[in-house]
Amino acid sequence: MKKNPINIDYVMILSVLLILSIIMNIYMSVKNVNYRYKLGKQSYIEAENIRQRNESNMDILSKCIDEGSIANSDLLKLYKNYDVISTDIIGLWQQYGAYTENGLPAFLKVIKSDKVIENNIHVKIKDYISSTLTREMENNNSKVILIDDELDRFVSMYEMSEGIYNYFNDFNTNILLGASGEDKEKKVIKNHYWIDMLEGIYNINGEYA
């Protein structure tokens, strides 16, 4: 009995389509994994920038509060640090947006947020420092005397920096188990811990926004 050539062609077409579908799914899966890794890598770098710049700010703020004044040179350092921090926070939110758009909802880490822009208090602090530094330079002053409202602002800035510092330390101890270097980076990327860090910063900022 002869086989129907039409049936054979039909089976072959289905087989080819199935193979192509499998190959395409594998390709998309690998592409998605690579994309999410690059996303995590960039987010890790930005989170580390925030942590390091925040530590620098905390040291400067602690010193100037103790001395009752802050030199213009230190104001400039604060401005640069807050500029980087605010930019990296915005970058992390952009990465988070891409993360949620390209993942399955059931497996996503979700940040409960309703005032993302308003909560980026670092932008407001950067603008405040910029105006303060401009004012002092126009008046030919080499430093700002910290009294009354001026002192209160710097104390609040220090308390916020201290809160972020403590958050990162607790996270490294309790979640990352003291990991450092490449081991820390791999854990943060693999488990999307940068999202937890972003949420932690968001919550702390919300106390001062």
Side-chain angles (χ1 to χ4, degrees):
M1 181 176 179
K2 294 183 179 180
K3 294 182 178 180
N4 190 335
I6 296 178
N7 289 337
I8 295 175
D9 290 343
Y10 182 71
V11 172
M12 287 182 63
I13 292 172
L14 286 179
S15 299
V16 170
L17 290 175
L18 179 61
I19 292 171
L20 288 175
S21 177
I22 293 172
I23 292 173
M24 183 58 69
N25 285 335
I26 293 173
Y27 169 77
M28 293 303 296
S29 178
V30 171
K31 186 177 179 180
N32 188 48
V33 168
N34 289 338
Y35 174 75
R36 289 167 78 86
Y37 176 82
K38 290 179 181 178
L39 200 68
K41 176 81 172 180
Q42 181 61 32
S43 299
Y44 172 77
I45 292 172
E46 290 174 343
E48 277 295 289
N49 278 343
I50 293 170
R51 181 185 65 80
Q52 293 169 7
R53 296 280 182 162
N54 181 72
E55 287 185 16
S56 174
N57 283 351
M58 192 171 69
D59 291 339
I60 295 172
L61 291 167
S62 176
K63 175 187 173 184
C64 73
I65 291 171
D66 288 341
E67 295 178 351
S69 64
I70 181 168
N72 288 353
S73 58
D74 283 333
L75 269 178
L76 182 58
K77 290 177 183 177
L78 284 177
Y79 173 82
K80 290 179 178 178
N81 284 340
Y82 280 114
D83 184 40
V84 171
I85 291 173
S86 61
T87 299
D88 283 339
I89 287 177
I90 292 171
L92 283 175
W93 280 113
Q94 290 173 339
Q95 262 84 264
Y96 175 70
Y99 162 84
T100 56
E101 288 178 3
N102 292 277
L104 297 174
F107 300 98
L108 294 176
K109 285 188 174 183
V110 178
I111 299 176
K112 294 181 179 179
S113 58
D114 55 357
K115 295 182 179 180
V116 174
I117 301 300
E118 291 86 342
N119 258 26
N120 197 350
I121 188 67
H122 293 90
V123 173
K124 298 176 183 178
I125 294 175
K126 182 191 73 170
D127 293 342
Y128 160 70
I129 292 175
S130 176
S131 63
T132 301
L133 183 58
T134 299
R135 181 193 69 210
E136 296 305 310
M137 292 178 68
E138 288 176 349
N139 293 330
N140 294 319
N141 294 326
S142 61
K143 63 181 180 180
V144 178
I145 303 300
L146 301 180
I147 57 174
D148 302 328
D149 290 344
E150 208 83 74
L151 177 59
D152 291 340
R153 292 190 187 97
F154 275 77
V155 169
S156 294
M157 288 156 59
Y158 173 80
E159 290 175 348
M160 186 179 73
S161 289
E162 186 179 40
I164 294 174
Y165 172 81
N166 290 336
Y167 173 81
F168 273 110
N169 274 357
D170 290 343
F171 196 92
N172 190 62
T173 300
N174 300 319
I175 306 299
L176 298 176
L177 303 178
S180 60
E182 290 185 8
D183 184 35
K184 177 182 178 181
E185 181 179 337
K186 288 178 181 178
K187 285 185 176 180
V188 171
I189 295 173
K190 179 181 179 181
N191 298 288
H192 310 296
Y193 283 145
W194 59 272
I195 297 175
D196 300 272
M197 295 174 181
L198 175 60
E199 184 174 29
I201 294 170
Y202 173 80
N203 290 335
I204 293 169
N205 284 358
E207 298 175 15
Y208 299 89

